[in-house]
Coordinates of all heavy atoms in Angstrom, one line a residue:
M102 N 0.8 -1.2 0.0 CA 0.0 0.0 0.0 C 0.9 1.3 0.0 O 1.9 1.3 0.7 CB -0.9 0.0 1.2 CG -1.9 1.1 1.3 SD -3.1 0.8 2.6 CE -3.7 2.5 2.7
A103 N 0.5 2.2 -0.8 CA 1.3 3.5 -0.9 C 1.2 4.3 0.4 O 0.1 4.4 1.0 CB 0.8 4.3 -2.1
E104 N 2.3 4.9 0.8 CA 2.3 5.7 2.0 C 1.7 7.1 1.7 O 2.2 7.8 0.8 CB 3.8 5.9 2.5 CG 3.9 6.8 3.7 CD 5.4 7.0 4.1 OE1 6.3 6.4 3.5 OE2 5.6 7.8 4.9
P105 N 0.7 7.5 2.4 CA 0.2 8.8 2.2 C 1.1 9.9 2.7 O 1.5 9.9 3.9 CB -1.2 8.8 2.9 CG -1.0 7.8 4.0 CD 0.0 6.8 3.5
V106 N 1.4 10.9 1.9 CA 2.2 12.0 2.3 C 1.6 13.3 1.7 O 1.0 13.2 0.7 CB 3.7 11.9 1.9 CG1 4.4 10.8 2.6 CG2 3.9 11.7 0.4
D107 N 1.9 14.4 2.3 CA 1.5 15.7 1.8 C 2.4 16.1 0.6 O 1.9 16.6 -0.4 CB 1.4 16.8 2.9 CG 0.4 16.5 3.9 OD1 -0.7 16.1 3.6 OD2 0.7 16.7 5.1
I108 N 3.7 16.0 0.9 CA 4.7 16.4 -0.2 C 5.7 15.3 -0.3 O 6.3 14.8 0.7 CB 5.4 17.7 0.3 CG1 4.4 18.8 0.6 CG2 6.4 18.2 -0.8 CD1 5.0 20.1 1.2
L109 N 6.0 15.0 -1.6 CA 7.1 14.1 -1.9 C 8.1 14.8 -2.7 O 7.9 15.3 -3.8 CB 6.6 12.9 -2.7 CG 7.6 11.9 -3.3 CD1 8.4 11.3 -2.1 CD2 7.0 10.9 -4.2
Y110 N 9.3 15.0 -2.1 CA 10.5 15.6 -2.8 C 11.3 14.5 -3.5 O 11.6 13.5 -2.9 CB 11.4 16.4 -1.9 CG 10.7 17.6 -1.3 CD1 10.2 17.6 0.0 CD2 10.6 18.7 -2.1 CE1 9.6 18.7 0.5 CE2 10.0 19.9 -1.5 CZ 9.5 19.8 -0.2 OH 8.9 21.0 0.3
I111 N 11.6 14.7 -4.8 CA 12.3 13.7 -5.5 C 13.7 14.2 -6.0 O 13.7 15.3 -6.6 CB 11.5 13.2 -6.8 CG1 10.2 12.5 -6.3 CG2 12.3 12.2 -7.6 CD1 9.3 12.1 -7.5
N112 N 14.7 13.5 -5.7 CA 16.0 13.8 -6.2 C 16.3 12.8 -7.4 O 16.6 11.6 -7.1 CB 17.1 13.6 -5.2 CG 18.5 13.9 -5.7 OD1 18.6 14.6 -6.7 ND2 19.5 13.5 -4.9
P113 N 16.1 13.2 -8.6 CA 16.0 12.2 -9.7 C 17.4 11.9 -10.4 O 17.4 11.3 -11.4 CB 15.1 12.9 -10.7 CG 15.4 14.4 -10.6 CD 15.7 14.5 -9.1
G114 N 18.5 12.3 -9.8 CA 19.8 12.1 -10.5 C 20.0 10.6 -10.9 O 19.4 9.7 -10.2
N115 N 20.7 10.4 -11.9 CA 21.0 9.1 -12.4 C 22.5 8.9 -12.6 O 23.0 9.3 -13.6 CB 20.2 8.9 -13.7 CG 20.3 7.5 -14.3 OD1 21.1 6.7 -13.8 ND2 19.5 7.2 -15.2
R116 N 23.1 8.2 -11.6 CA 24.6 8.0 -11.7 C 25.0 7.2 -12.9 O 26.0 7.4 -13.5 CB 25.1 7.3 -10.4 CG 25.0 8.2 -9.2 CD 25.6 7.5 -8.0 NE 24.9 6.3 -7.6 CZ 25.4 5.3 -6.9 NH1 26.6 5.3 -6.5 NH2 24.6 4.3 -6.6
R117 N 24.1 6.2 -13.3 CA 24.5 5.3 -14.4 C 24.5 6.1 -15.7 O 25.3 5.9 -16.6 CB 23.5 4.2 -14.5 CG 23.8 3.1 -13.5 CD 22.8 2.0 -13.6 NE 21.7 2.2 -12.6 CZ 20.5 1.7 -12.6 NH1 20.2 0.8 -13.5 NH2 19.7 2.0 -11.7
Q118 N 23.6 7.0 -15.9 CA 23.5 7.8 -17.1 C 24.6 8.8 -17.2 O 25.2 9.0 -18.2 CB 22.1 8.5 -17.2 CG 22.0 9.2 -18.5 CD 20.6 9.9 -18.6 OE1 19.8 9.9 -17.7 NE2 20.2 10.3 -19.8
I119 N 24.9 9.5 -16.1 CA 25.9 10.5 -16.1 C 27.3 10.0 -16.1 O 28.2 10.4 -16.9 CB 25.7 11.4 -14.8 CG1 24.4 12.1 -14.8 CG2 26.9 12.4 -14.7 CD1 24.0 12.8 -13.6
Y120 N 27.6 9.0 -15.3 CA 29.0 8.5 -15.2 C 29.2 7.1 -15.9 O 30.3 6.5 -15.8 CB 29.4 8.4 -13.8 CG 29.4 9.7 -13.1 CD1 28.4 10.0 -12.1 CD2 30.3 10.7 -13.3 CE1 28.3 11.2 -11.5 CE2 30.3 11.9 -12.7 CZ 29.3 12.2 -11.8 OH 29.2 13.4 -11.1
Q121 N 28.2 6.5 -16.5 CA 28.3 5.2 -17.2 C 28.8 4.2 -16.2 O 28.3 4.1 -15.0 CB 29.1 5.2 -18.4 CG 28.5 6.0 -19.6 CD 28.8 7.5 -19.5 OE1 29.8 7.9 -19.1 NE2 27.8 8.3 -20.0
G122 N 29.8 3.4 -16.5 CA 30.3 2.3 -15.7 C 31.0 2.8 -14.4 O 31.1 2.1 -13.4
L123 N 31.6 4.0 -14.5 CA 32.3 4.6 -13.3 C 31.3 4.9 -12.2 O 31.7 5.0 -11.0 CB 33.1 5.8 -13.7 CG 34.2 5.6 -14.7 CD1 34.8 6.9 -15.1 CD2 35.3 4.7 -14.2
G124 N 30.1 5.1 -12.5 CA 29.1 5.5 -11.5 C 28.9 4.5 -10.4 O 28.5 4.8 -9.3
D125 N 29.1 3.2 -10.7 CA 28.9 2.2 -9.7 C 30.0 2.1 -8.7 O 29.7 1.8 -7.5 CB 28.8 0.8 -10.4 CG 27.6 0.7 -11.3 OD1 26.6 1.4 -11.0 OD2 27.6 -0.1 -12.3
E126 N 31.2 2.4 -9.0 CA 32.3 2.3 -8.1 C 32.9 3.6 -7.6 O 33.3 3.8 -6.5 CB 33.5 1.5 -8.8 CG 33.3 0.0 -8.7 CD 34.5 -0.7 -9.3 OE1 35.6 -0.5 -8.7 OE2 34.3 -1.4 -10.3
F127 N 33.1 4.6 -8.5 CA 33.9 5.8 -8.3 C 33.1 7.0 -8.0 O 33.7 8.1 -7.9 CB 34.9 6.0 -9.4 CG 35.8 4.8 -9.6 CD1 35.7 4.0 -10.7 CD2 36.8 4.6 -8.6 CE1 36.6 3.0 -10.8 CE2 37.6 3.5 -8.8 CZ 37.5 2.7 -9.9
C128 N 31.8 7.0 -8.0 CA 31.0 8.1 -7.9 C 30.5 8.3 -6.5 O 29.9 7.4 -5.9 CB 29.8 8.0 -8.9 SG 28.7 9.4 -8.8
A129 N 30.6 9.5 -5.9 CA 30.1 9.8 -4.6 C 28.6 10.0 -4.6 O 28.1 10.5 -5.6 CB 30.8 11.0 -4.0
V130 N 27.9 9.6 -3.6 CA 26.5 9.8 -3.5 C 26.3 10.9 -2.5 O 26.6 10.8 -1.3 CB 25.8 8.5 -3.0 CG1 24.3 8.8 -2.9 CG2 26.0 7.4 -3.9
E131 N 25.9 12.1 -3.0 CA 25.8 13.2 -2.2 C 24.4 13.3 -1.6 O 23.4 12.9 -2.3 CB 26.0 14.5 -3.0 CG 27.5 14.6 -3.5 CD 27.7 15.8 -4.3 OE1 26.9 16.7 -4.4 OE2 28.8 15.9 -4.9
P132 N 24.2 13.8 -0.4 CA 22.9 13.9 0.2 C 22.1 15.0 -0.5 O 22.7 16.0 -1.0 CB 23.1 14.3 1.7 CG 24.5 14.9 1.7 CD 25.3 14.2 0.6
P133 N 20.8 14.8 -0.6 CA 19.9 15.8 -1.3 C 19.7 17.0 -0.4 O 18.7 17.0 0.3 CB 18.7 15.0 -1.6 CG 18.6 14.0 -0.6 CD 20.0 13.6 -0.2
V134 N 20.6 17.9 -0.4 CA 20.6 19.1 0.5 C 19.4 19.9 0.4 O 18.7 20.2 1.4 CB 21.9 19.9 0.3 CG1 21.8 21.2 1.2 CG2 23.1 19.1 0.6
F135 N 19.0 20.4 -0.8 CA 17.9 21.3 -0.9 C 16.6 20.6 -0.6 O 15.7 21.1 0.1 CB 17.9 21.9 -2.3 CG 18.9 23.0 -2.3 CD1 20.1 22.9 -3.1 CD2 18.8 24.2 -1.6 CE1 21.1 23.9 -3.1 CE2 19.7 25.2 -1.7 CZ 20.9 25.0 -2.4
P136 N 16.3 19.3 -1.1 CA 15.1 18.7 -0.7 C 15.0 18.5 0.8 O 14.0 18.6 1.4 CB 15.2 17.3 -1.4 CG 16.0 17.6 -2.6 CD 17.0 18.6 -2.2
G137 N 16.2 18.3 1.5 CA 16.2 18.1 2.9 C 15.8 19.4 3.6 O 15.1 19.4 4.6
L138 N 16.3 20.5 3.1 CA 16.0 21.8 3.7 C 14.5 22.2 3.5 O 13.8 22.6 4.4 CB 16.8 23.0 3.0 CG 18.3 22.9 3.3 CD1 19.1 23.9 2.5 CD2 18.5 23.3 4.8
Y139 N 14.0 21.9 2.3 CA 12.6 22.2 2.0 C 11.7 21.2 2.9 O 10.7 21.7 3.4 CB 12.2 21.9 0.5 CG 13.0 22.8 -0.4 CD1 13.4 22.3 -1.7 CD2 13.4 24.1 -0.1 CE1 14.1 23.1 -2.6 CE2 14.1 24.9 -1.0 CZ 14.5 24.4 -2.2 OH 15.2 25.2 -3.1
A140 N 12.1 20.0 3.0 CA 11.3 19.0 3.8 C 11.3 19.5 5.3 O 10.3 19.4 5.9 CB 11.9 17.6 3.7
T141 N 12.4 19.9 5.8 CA 12.4 20.4 7.2 C 11.5 21.5 7.4 O 10.8 21.6 8.4 CB 13.9 20.8 7.6 OG1 14.7 19.6 7.5 CG2 13.9 21.3 9.0
Y142 N 11.5 22.5 6.5 CA 10.6 23.6 6.6 C 9.1 23.2 6.6 O 8.3 23.6 7.4 CB 10.9 24.6 5.5 CG 9.9 25.8 5.5 CD1 10.1 26.9 6.3 CD2 8.8 25.8 4.6 CE1 9.3 27.9 6.3 CE2 7.9 26.9 4.7 CZ 8.2 27.9 5.5 OH 7.3 29.0 5.5
A143 N 8.8 22.3 5.6 CA 7.4 21.8 5.5 C 7.0 21.0 6.7 O 5.9 21.2 7.2 CB 7.3 21.0 4.2
R144 N 7.9 20.2 7.3 CA 7.6 19.5 8.5 C 7.3 20.4 9.7 O 6.4 20.1 10.5 CB 8.7 18.5 8.8 CG 8.8 17.3 7.9 CD 9.9 16.3 8.4 NE 10.0 15.2 7.4 CZ 11.1 14.9 6.8 NH1 12.2 15.6 6.9 NH2 11.0 13.9 5.9
K145 N 8.1 21.5 9.8 CA 7.9 22.4 10.9 C 6.5 23.1 10.7 O 6.0 23.6 11.7 CB 9.0 23.4 10.9 CG 10.3 22.8 11.5 CD 11.3 23.9 11.6 CE 12.6 23.3 12.3 NZ 13.6 24.3 12.6
K146 N 6.0 23.2 9.5 CA 4.7 23.8 9.3 C 3.6 22.8 9.4 O 2.4 23.1 9.1 CB 4.6 24.4 7.9 CG 5.6 25.6 7.7 CD 5.2 26.7 8.7 CE 6.1 27.9 8.5 NZ 5.8 29.0 9.4
G147 N 3.9 21.5 9.7 CA 2.9 20.5 10.0 C 2.6 19.5 8.8 O 1.7 18.7 8.9
A148 N 3.3 19.6 7.7 CA 3.1 18.7 6.6 C 3.8 17.4 6.8 O 4.9 17.3 7.4 CB 3.6 19.4 5.3
K149 N 3.3 16.3 6.3 CA 3.9 15.0 6.3 C 4.7 14.9 5.0 O 4.1 15.0 3.9 CB 2.9 13.9 6.4 CG 3.5 12.5 6.5 CD 2.5 11.5 6.8 CE 3.3 10.1 6.9 NZ 2.4 9.0 7.1
V150 N 6.0 14.7 5.1 CA 6.9 14.9 4.0 C 7.8 13.6 3.8 O 8.1 13.0 4.8 CB 7.8 16.1 4.2 CG1 8.8 16.2 3.0 CG2 7.0 17.3 4.3
A151 N 8.1 13.3 2.6 CA 9.0 12.2 2.3 C 10.0 12.6 1.2 O 9.7 13.5 0.4 CB 8.3 10.9 1.8
I152 N 11.2 12.0 1.2 CA 12.2 12.3 0.2 C 12.5 11.0 -0.5 O 12.9 10.0 0.1 CB 13.5 12.9 0.7 CG1 13.1 14.3 1.4 CG2 14.5 13.1 -0.3 CD1 14.3 14.9 2.2
L153 N 12.5 11.0 -1.8 CA 12.9 9.8 -2.6 C 14.2 10.2 -3.3 O 14.2 11.1 -4.2 CB 11.8 9.4 -3.7 CG 12.1 8.3 -4.6 CD1 12.5 7.0 -3.8 CD2 11.0 8.0 -5.5
D154 N 15.3 9.6 -2.9 CA 16.6 9.9 -3.4 C 17.0 8.8 -4.4 O 17.6 7.8 -4.0 CB 17.6 10.0 -2.2 CG 18.9 10.6 -2.6 OD1 19.1 11.0 -3.8 OD2 19.8 10.6 -1.8
G155 N 16.9 9.1 -5.7 CA 17.2 8.2 -6.8 C 18.6 7.7 -6.8 O 18.9 6.5 -6.8
P156 N 19.6 8.7 -6.7 CA 21.0 8.2 -6.7 C 21.4 7.3 -5.5 O 22.2 6.5 -5.6 CB 21.8 9.6 -6.6 CG 20.9 10.5 -7.2 CD 19.5 10.1 -6.8
A157 N 20.8 7.6 -4.3 CA 21.1 6.7 -3.2 C 20.7 5.3 -3.4 O 21.3 4.4 -2.9 CB 20.4 7.3 -1.9
Y158 N 19.6 5.1 -4.1 CA 19.1 3.7 -4.4 C 19.7 3.2 -5.7 O 19.3 2.1 -6.2 CB 17.6 3.7 -4.5 CG 16.9 3.9 -3.1 CD1 16.2 5.1 -2.8 CD2 17.0 2.9 -2.1 CE1 15.6 5.3 -1.6 CE2 16.4 3.1 -0.9 CZ 15.7 4.3 -0.6 OH 15.1 4.5 0.6
N159 N 20.5 4.1 -6.4 CA 21.0 3.7 -7.7 C 19.9 3.4 -8.8 O 20.0 2.5 -9.5 CB 22.0 2.6 -7.6 CG 23.0 2.5 -8.8 OD1 23.2 3.5 -9.5 ND2 23.6 1.4 -9.0
L160 N 18.9 4.3 -8.8 CA 17.8 4.2 -9.7 C 17.9 5.0 -10.9 O 18.5 6.1 -10.8 CB 16.5 4.6 -9.0 CG 16.1 3.8 -7.7 CD1 14.9 4.5 -7.1 CD2 15.9 2.4 -8.0
S161 N 17.4 4.6 -12.0 CA 17.3 5.4 -13.2 C 16.1 6.4 -13.0 O 15.4 6.2 -12.1 CB 17.1 4.5 -14.5 OG 15.8 4.0 -14.4
A162 N 16.0 7.3 -13.9 CA 14.9 8.3 -13.8 C 13.6 7.5 -13.9 O 12.6 7.9 -13.2 CB 15.0 9.3 -14.9
E163 N 13.5 6.5 -14.8 CA 12.2 5.8 -15.0 C 11.9 5.0 -13.7 O 10.8 4.9 -13.3 CB 12.3 4.8 -16.2 CG 12.4 5.6 -17.5 CD 13.8 6.1 -17.9 OE1 14.8 5.6 -17.2 OE2 13.9 6.9 -18.8
E164 N 12.9 4.4 -13.1 CA 12.7 3.6 -11.9 C 12.3 4.5 -10.7 O 11.5 4.1 -9.9 CB 14.0 2.8 -11.5 CG 14.3 1.7 -12.5 CD 15.7 1.2 -12.3 OE1 16.6 1.9 -11.9 OE2 15.9 0.0 -12.6
T165 N 12.9 5.7 -10.7 CA 12.5 6.7 -9.6 C 11.1 7.1 -9.8 O 10.3 7.1 -8.8 CB 13.4 7.9 -9.7 OG1 14.8 7.5 -9.6 CG2 13.1 8.9 -8.6
A166 N 10.6 7.4 -11.0 CA 9.2 7.7 -11.2 C 8.3 6.6 -10.9 O 7.3 6.8 -10.3 CB 9.1 8.2 -12.7
S167 N 8.7 5.4 -11.3 CA 7.9 4.2 -11.0 C 7.7 4.0 -9.5 O 6.6 3.7 -9.0 CB 8.5 3.0 -11.6 OG 7.7 1.8 -11.3
R168 N 8.8 4.2 -8.7 CA 8.8 4.0 -7.3 C 8.0 5.1 -6.6 O 7.3 4.9 -5.7 CB 10.2 4.0 -6.7 CG 10.2 3.6 -5.2 CD 11.6 3.4 -4.7 NE 12.1 2.1 -5.2 CZ 13.2 1.6 -4.7 NH1 13.9 2.2 -3.8 NH2 13.6 0.4 -5.2
A169 N 8.1 6.3 -7.2 CA 7.3 7.4 -6.6 C 5.8 7.1 -6.7 O 5.0 7.4 -5.8 CB 7.7 8.7 -7.3
L170 N 5.4 6.6 -7.9 CA 4.0 6.3 -8.1 C 3.5 5.1 -7.3 O 2.4 5.1 -6.8 CB 3.7 6.0 -9.6 CG 3.9 7.2 -10.5 CD1 3.8 6.8 -11.9 CD2 2.8 8.3 -10.2
S171 N 4.3 4.1 -7.1 CA 3.9 2.9 -6.4 C 4.0 2.9 -4.9 O 3.2 2.3 -4.2 CB 4.7 1.7 -7.0 OG 6.0 1.8 -6.6
D172 N 5.0 3.6 -4.4 CA 5.3 3.6 -3.0 C 4.7 4.8 -2.2 O 4.6 4.7 -1.0 CB 6.8 3.6 -2.7 CG 7.5 2.4 -3.2 OD1 6.8 1.4 -3.6 OD2 8.7 2.3 -3.1
Y173 N 4.3 5.9 -2.9 CA 3.7 7.0 -2.2 C 2.4 7.5 -2.8 O 2.2 7.4 -4.0 CB 4.7 8.2 -2.3 CG 6.1 7.9 -1.7 CD1 7.1 7.4 -2.5 CD2 6.3 8.1 -0.3 CE1 8.3 7.1 -1.9 CE2 7.5 7.8 0.3 CZ 8.5 7.3 -0.5 OH 9.7 7.0 0.1
D174 N 1.6 8.0 -2.0 CA 0.3 8.6 -2.4 C 0.4 10.1 -2.0 O 0.0 10.5 -0.9 CB -0.9 8.0 -1.7 CG -2.2 8.6 -2.1 OD1 -2.3 9.2 -3.1 OD2 -3.2 8.4 -1.3
A175 N 1.1 10.9 -2.8 CA 1.5 12.2 -2.5 C 0.4 13.2 -3.1 O -0.1 13.1 -4.2 CB 2.8 12.6 -3.1
K176 N 0.2 14.3 -2.3 CA -0.7 15.3 -2.8 C 0.1 16.3 -3.7 O -0.5 16.9 -4.6 CB -1.3 16.1 -1.6 CG -2.2 15.3 -0.7 CD -2.7 16.1 0.5 CE -3.6 15.3 1.4 NZ -4.0 16.0 2.6
L177 N 1.4 16.4 -3.4 CA 2.3 17.3 -4.2 C 3.6 16.6 -4.4 O 4.1 16.1 -3.4 CB 2.5 18.6 -3.4 CG 3.5 19.6 -4.1 CD1 2.9 20.2 -5.4 CD2 3.7 20.8 -3.1
V178 N 4.1 16.6 -5.6 CA 5.4 16.1 -5.9 C 6.3 17.2 -6.4 O 5.9 18.0 -7.3 CB 5.3 15.0 -7.0 CG1 6.7 14.4 -7.3 CG2 4.4 13.8 -6.5
A179 N 7.5 17.3 -5.8 CA 8.4 18.4 -6.2 C 9.8 17.8 -6.4 O 10.2 16.8 -5.8 CB 8.5 19.5 -5.1

């Protein structure tokens, strides 16, 4: 069942597309700083927020979109 959230922030980066084979071993996975800042602000205002970080899960853009649709029931996606 999809998790109901008010706002879902998506970091859609794709290490495989950007760095090809090097993305699996030599690419750093940076935290999604701006989605984290926006999420903190929204949480302080009472919103239920989630962040889907594609690079952290090593997802392609298509896989990230598919997971966003299947795993979350969001009112707003950013």
